[in-house]
Amino acid sequence: MNFEFSDDQKQLRDQARRYLAEHSPSKAVRSVLEGKAPYDKALWKGLAEMGFLGVAIPEEFGGAGAGHLELCVIAEEIGRVLAPVPFASTIYLATEAIMLAGSDEQKAKWLPKIASGEAIGTLALFEGAGNPSPKGINVSVSQGAVSGTKKPVPDGAIADFAIVVARTGSTGRETDIGLFIVDLNGAGVTRKSLANIDQAHGQAEITFDKAKAEPLGAANEGWSILTRVLDRAAVLMAFEQVGGADRALEMGRDYALDRIAFGRQIGSFQAVKHLLADMYVSATLARSNCYYGAWALSTDAAELPEAAAGARISATQAFQHCAKNNNQVHGGMGFTWEFDCHLYYRRANALALALGSLSYWENQLIDRMRLRNAG
Amino acid sequence: MNFDDTPQEAAFRAEARAWIQANAPRHLEPELSEPSVGRIKLRSGDILTESKKWQKKKAEAGWACLHWPKEYGGRGASPIERVIWQQEEGVFIKLESVFLIGQGMCGPTMMAYAGEDDKKKYLPKLASGENIWCQLFSEPAAGSDVAGLRTRAERKGDDWIINGQKVWTTGAHFSDYGIVITRTDPAQPKHKGLTMFFLDMKSPGVVVKPIKQANGQAEFNEVYFTDVKIPDSQRLGKVNDGWNVSLTTLMNERMSIGARIVTGVPEMFDFCSKLMLEDGLAIDDKNVRSKLASWAVKASGLKYTSYRSISALSRGERPGPENSIGKLVSGSMLQDIAMFALDLQGAAGVLNDADAVAGAGQFQSMLLRSPATRVEGGTDEILRNIIAERVLGLPGDIRVDKDVPFNAIPTKGR
Ligand SMILES: Cc1cc2nc3c(=O)[nH]c(=O)nc-3n(C[C@H](O)[C@H](O)[C@H](O)COP(=O)(O)OP(=O)(O)OC[C@H]3O[C@@H](n4cnc5c(N)ncnc54)[C@H](O)[C@@H]3O)c2cc1C
């Protein structure tokens, strides 16, 4: 057993951390948050040049062909700095869907463009309130054209294409759901940006009116592919969340060492120390669950569904826990626009809902554990 | 990142499995499989006898204290082999709990500080379970603040004369030997005047009085010393350097406790999968699911955290203070799980009598023992301090008595 990243992977992490520290300062996050740009284009291009966008894409499709462990390493660093780029939507969702279910032509068409930063992708799944469920899908496809409205779609306003989850029949069963690639710059697509708690990552409403839809994967397997995509994305996003949690903990720790009250560093007060110790504990548990998820993802193990749900729940809880207590350690400063605490608080709570809420993943975990115990 | 055995590890696993298959006391398996926290009580036999029998068998076949050197009764195994053994040993590992303090804490301290002859004399018998050891640190006025202890040791020629009292000493009533920390220079600040020894628990002047615990059992004791004579050759470490010696013990304590965390989660999962509530199975209830999921990810997080420490160990890195999180997380989780399990049973949750109501009594011992988990081997608060100070680098607590000579510290009742 070896339950650690390899030295090469650690080197990649250092490289990504250095790069992002320089190219994704919180100033850049703020400029997207404040609406000065829809995303950080220069950073996106830079990430492509560093080979980070295509790190898990096979070489024959223009990627680095490294693998998912490497992608996990980079996801964590993206999460640490809250990089204001469509990384999750393009890489964890759209790319994973194409790699899992795409034909050779589809892979050849999209993957090189993703790796080079030329194409931004997303997954158009949700239709208003609620969690992933075949019953919640009303957007439909007939005769190669998709109609209906999706919201919220992450990075939907800037994406070039979307994987659209759509109904293909009328039974309401899983087998009536298909996945389709839709060119968002094509005819029949209207988009509108939606305000959200973390404007550093845009959300959109997309209305399709007989837009051209190209099937991705077998017609009746849409829901099962989607489930697999969500599991893979859950592991990757969990790394992003752990990166954010770790950074929030560090910020809290640094402030506790810096700020003096009652003639002492506030970090010498036990109430503050214990707050930070508990943040460390939740971040550590989440990290360990993520490592298990990374192992399952990179080996495509049968344990992946359970591991993914565990990593997702643990990382969601850890990031929310660390972000909220980071604010607390910072006192009044933590509630100012000027300090970065709210950037982490926003992101923690936005990511918590991104792939289905906590209760959705709790349900998934229990179902999957039961399945294992029964088997 | 992988879970695969190397060919060497696979061979070790196969050998271990075959041996356990052929030798383990299978008749105890059903009882050992029941949810338990703390010391095990067997209905079908005496735990001490059964534990010693199994340990002896293991020692004779070379499966005891796997990571210890062969000359001290171990096997010289790698950290990974030790983990493989623990995985294969399964529920029978519970029969090791009476040896945990001796093998996990006293043994490593002896290995680091005792003379070579003594190591050869005492360690193999500790490994084989023939001798049981205890750890005599805590005192009535010195628990979390161990360095505030008052048991005195005074030099008299080649001997030391010990007077004082210890408390909460697990297993002292059936221990053969113990390691004891004493004050040898009260004129020094409290951490500087301490000295460590090992002693024969049958020495004249040692009196052990079992304490009945809140859960009705009696694992721990008061131990009184009246003019107990210990030869200087049984000193561990330098005179007045006992604090540093005790740190070796405590570090190993965290490691060995951390390695076998009981979380209560598998038991709770199983319970909820079978329990019928008014509206159906407990595990189909939204509220139950949410709690179960949160506990499950804590338990898996602890498991994979320990895998990460093992990976670090196998690369030759030392176990760090981050190992404190196992007990910190599982202690209060055990309490929460037990309370929720009773809650789910409604009015009958109060019953301890399995004959009266189906399923009753399963979580009672967890409920009544788990408060101790949060105290023994360092309280939750002390563990949080350790994490905050040694992992996160926050300032130490202000210690008003740090540089004051021990005998000048003003203390109520001293
Ligand atoms: C089942 C069991 C078995 C044990 N076995 C052994 C054994 O074999 N050998 C042995 O030597 N000891 C043993 N102990 C003793 C154990 O190590 C002590 O109980 C423990 O260290 C706490 O000390 P105390 O009981 O004196 O509590 P105290 O130290 O009096 O603590 C009381 C409360 O004050 C808090 N507190 C104390 N200091 C601080 C601080 N600096 N910051 C914040 N809060 C603080 C504690 O967290 C706790 O909540 C055992 C205890 C139990 C329960």
Side-chain angles (χ1 to χ4, degrees):
Chain A
M1 183 176 70
N2 178 17
F3 213 54
E4 260 300 341
F5 285 105
S6 69
D7 288 343
D8 281 351
Q9 287 153 357
K10 286 181 190 158
Q11 232 166 10
L12 175 67
R13 177 177 65 203
D14 293 345
Q15 189 196 7
R17 187 169 298 186
R18 272 198 309 273
Y19 182 83
L20 286 164
E22 189 177 337
H23 295 88
S24 186
S26 74
K27 204 167 77 208
V29 181
R30 285 164 180 280
S31 101
V32 177
L33 179 70
E34 288 162 3
K36 293 179 189 130
Y39 71 104
D40 189 336
K41 280 187 189 158
L43 177 62
W44 190 242
K45 202 159 158 261
L47 291 174
E49 280 161 11
M50 294 295 288
F52 294 163
L53 300 185
V55 72
I57 293 175
E59 276 170 293
E60 51 172 319
F61 298 118
H68 280 93
L69 286 179
E70 285 72 10
L71 182 51
C72 289
V73 165
I74 290 168
E76 181 180 338
E77 297 309 316
I78 293 278
R80 266 182 81 83
V81 298
L82 312 172
V85 286
F87 197 78
S89 46
T90 305
I91 308 298
Y92 314 157
L93 293 167
T95 305
E96 287 301 320
I98 291 173
M99 292 212 293
L100 261 178
S103 65
D104 281 349
E105 290 80 32
Q106 286 169 329
K107 289 182 188 165
K109 177 174 176 194
W110 291 108
L111 297 181
K113 283 192 192 162
I114 290 169
S116 68
E118 209 181 311
I120 293 172
T122 187
L123 174 76
L125 164 62
F126 298 107
E127 301 180 15
N131 278 311
S133 157
K135 292 195 192 78
I137 306 298
N138 293 307
V139 165
S140 64
V141 163
S142 79
Q143 291 164 352
V146 59
S147 295
T149 299
K150 291 283 188 185
K151 69 182 158 194
V153 182
D155 299 309
I158 56 172
D160 298 294
F161 72 100
I163 312 295
V164 179
V165 184
R167 176 170 301 290
T168 51
S170 57
T171 63
R173 281 202 300 266
E174 284 186 20
T175 45
D176 266 356
I177 305 286
L179 299 186
F180 297 87
I181 303 181
V182 178
D183 180 352
L184 294 180
N185 300 317
V189 177
T190 329
R191 344 187 196 179
K192 187 170 97 186
S193 280
L194 301 175
N196 85 89
I197 54 174
D198 178 18
Q199 286 291 118
H201 269 176
Q203 299 285 350
E205 174 182 304
I206 305 184
T207 300
F208 301 99
D209 181 14
K210 299 205 180 76
K212 193 161 163 282
E214 177 187 318
L216 177 73
N220 56 352
E221 281 175 17
W223 197 260
S224 86
I225 300 166
L226 174 73
T227 307
R228 289 167 67 203
V229 171
L230 290 179
D231 285 348
R232 301 166 85 78
V235 173
L236 295 164
M237 190 173 281
F239 271 92
E240 197 169 314
Q241 291 169 300
V242 159
D246 246 16
R247 182 63 200 128
L249 166 60
E250 261 174 39
M251 286 167 68
R253 193 262 325 266
D254 291 349
Y255 193 75
L257 288 170
D258 211 43
R259 169 78 172 165
I260 307 276
F262 298 95
R264 298 156 60 172
Q265 289 162 298
I266 57 167
S268 70
F269 293 111
Q270 239 183 36
V272 175
K273 282 161 78 166
H274 289 190
L275 207 60
L276 289 160
D278 284 342
M279 289 158 73
Y280 171 81
V281 169
S282 62
T284 300
L285 295 180
R287 175 176 295 280
S288 300
N289 278 315
C290 281
Y291 280 24
Y292 181 57
W295 164 80
L297 174 60
S298 67
T299 56
D300 214 1
E303 289 88 341
L304 177 60
E306 188 180 328
R312 167 75 179 159
I313 294 168
S314 197
T316 296
Q317 291 176 336
F319 195 8
Q320 287 184 316
H321 178 84
C322 290
K324 86 175 188 198
N325 285 329
N326 180 38
N327 286 10
Q328 182 63 20
V329 170
H330 277 78
M333 282 297 187
F335 198 62
T336 62
W337 188 264
E338 184 197 340
F339 266 58
D340 286 347
C341 299
H342 69 104
L343 305 182
Y344 286 82
Y345 188 66
R346 287 168 191 283
R347 183 64 53 86
N349 287 291
L351 291 186
L353 304 168
L355 303 170
S357 68
L358 192 58
S359 56
Y360 169 78
W361 287 99
E362 286 171 349
N363 271 325
Q364 296 288 316
L365 178 67
I366 299 301
D367 286 343
R368 292 161 183 192
M369 286 177 74
R370 274 176 101 179
L371 212 59
R372 170 168 56 86
N373 285 1
Chain B
M1 202 171 273
N2 68 67
F3 288 97
D4 301 338
D5 289 340
T6 62
Q8 233 174 333
E9 287 160 4
F12 178 88
R13 189 186 291 281
E15 198 192 336
R17 184 174 296 177
W19 190 84
I20 290 164
Q21 197 80 37
N23 292 285
R26 298 247 152 239
H27 63 288
L28 298 176
E29 203 167 356
E31 274 185 79
L32 290 174
S33 305
E34 289 168 18
S36 54
V37 185
R39 197 114 318 178
I40 319 288
K41 243 179 144 178
L42 291 177
R43 288 185 301 276
S44 65
D46 173 42
I47 182 73
L48 202 56
T49 317
E50 295 294 344
S51 299
K52 284 193 163 195
K53 254 203 259 174
W54 176 229
Q55 190 65 26
K56 182 160 179 247
K57 220 175 199 183
K58 286 196 282 184
E60 281 165 356
W63 296 108
C65 292
L66 275 86
H67 59 302
W68 287 14
K70 285 203 177 104
E71 66 262 38
Y72 304 142
R75 191 188 182 89
S78 71
I80 300 292
E81 286 173 336
R82 201 174 152 204
V83 172
I84 292 173
W85 169 266
Q86 288 180 355
Q87 288 170 346
E88 295 300 325
E89 196 176 9
V91 296
F92 299 107
I93 204 168
K94 291 188 184 175
L95 291 173
E96 230 175 61
S97 62
V98 293
F99 309 116
L100 192 69
I101 290 176
Q103 295 176 350
M105 299 156 218
C106 305
T109 311
M110 287 290 284
M111 237 175 273
Y113 291 99
E116 196 50 41
D117 290 350
D118 283 337
K119 290 193 219 178
K120 293 230 171 72
K121 179 171 168 197
Y122 294 103
L123 290 172
K125 287 184 179 171
L126 172 51
S128 70
E130 186 180 336
N131 289 161
I132 293 183
W133 285 56
C134 62
Q135 175 197 9
L136 300 140
F137 282 21
S138 302
E139 297 189 12
S144 303
D145 183 14
V146 181
L149 60 91
R150 287 187 278 164
T151 293
R152 289 291 308 269
E154 280 156 313
R155 184 129 198 183
K156 207 170 160 195
D158 278 346
D159 294 328
W160 292 82
I161 306 299
I162 317 282
N163 278 289
Q165 184 203 342
K166 296 287 173 181
V167 75
W168 322 129
T169 316
T170 301
H173 54 306
F174 52 66
S175 286
D176 304 282
Y177 299 92
I179 56 174
V180 59
I181 183 159
T182 61
R183 183 161 308 281
T184 38
D185 187 354
Q188 299 255 19
K190 67 178 185 181
H191 288 93
K192 298 201 173 130
L194 304 172
T195 304
M196 185 86 93
F197 300 93
F198 70 91
L199 88 160
D200 186 337
M201 288 297 283
K202 315 253 162 24
S203 308
V206 177
V207 174
V208 176
K209 291 191 182 161
I211 304 174
K212 185 166 181 183
Q213 296 164 184
N215 65 345
Q217 293 200 16
E219 302 163 68
F220 57 37
N221 307 269
E222 291 178 295
V223 181
Y224 293 88
F225 298 94
T226 313
D227 292 333
V228 175
K229 202 158 84 176
I230 301 184
D232 187 54
S233 62
Q234 292 184 192
R235 173 161 47 80
L236 295 171
K238 297 199 196 86
V239 174
N240 291 338
D241 196 35
W243 183 249
N244 284 321
V245 181
S246 78
L247 292 180
T248 306
T249 318
L250 297 174
M251 196 65 162
N252 279 292
E253 176 167 20
R254 274 193 289 281
M255 256 322 272
S256 58
I257 290 181
R260 53 188 69 194
I261 287 299
V262 178
T263 62
V265 173
E267 291 86 352
M268 186 63 180
F269 200 92
D270 190 48
F271 177 72
C272 293
S273 305
K274 293 177 185 147
L275 182 73
M276 279 310 274
L277 303 176
E278 290 94 87
D279 305 326
L281 276 178
I283 198 164
D284 290 326
D285 181 274
K286 201 169 173 209
N287 182 29
V288 172
R289 282 180 163 240
S290 167
K291 287 186 189 252
L292 264 186
S294 278
W295 287 324
V297 300
K298 278 188 185 174
S300 62
L302 289 181
K303 176 164 142 197
Y304 303 123
T305 300
S306 77
Y307 286 4
R308 287 170 58 206
S309 330
I310 293 159
S311 302
L313 266 176
S314 68
R315 281 196 308 272
E317 290 165 28
R318 273 171 64 85
E322 63 277 4
N323 287 300
S324 299
I325 78 170
K327 200 173 78 75
L328 177 58
V329 173
S330 64
S332 55
M333 179 158 69
L334 283 168
Q335 279 184 300
D336 293 343
I337 286 179
M339 288 176 190
F340 190 58
L342 301 197
D343 180 80
L344 285 176
Q345 298 175 65
V350 73
L351 299 178
N352 210 350
D353 189 343
D355 296 335
V357 181
Q362 275 195 65
F363 287 87
Q364 310 276 345
S365 72
M366 191 184 286
L367 178 81
L368 295 178
R369 177 56 170 74
S370 50
T373 307
R374 298 179 63 194
V375 172
E376 61 190 340
T379 65
D380 285 2
E381 290 70 30
I382 295 298
L383 296 181
R384 286 195 174 93
N385 277 355
I386 289 173
I387 292 171
E389 292 169 22
R390 299 199 211 143
V391 181
L392 300 177
L394 293 164
D397 279 5
I398 289 177
R399 299 198 173 139
V400 291
D401 59 359
K402 189 163 179 268
D403 299 316
V404 182
F406 183 73
N407 53 16
I409 298 171
T411 313
K412 221 171 99 183
R414 179 163 282 158

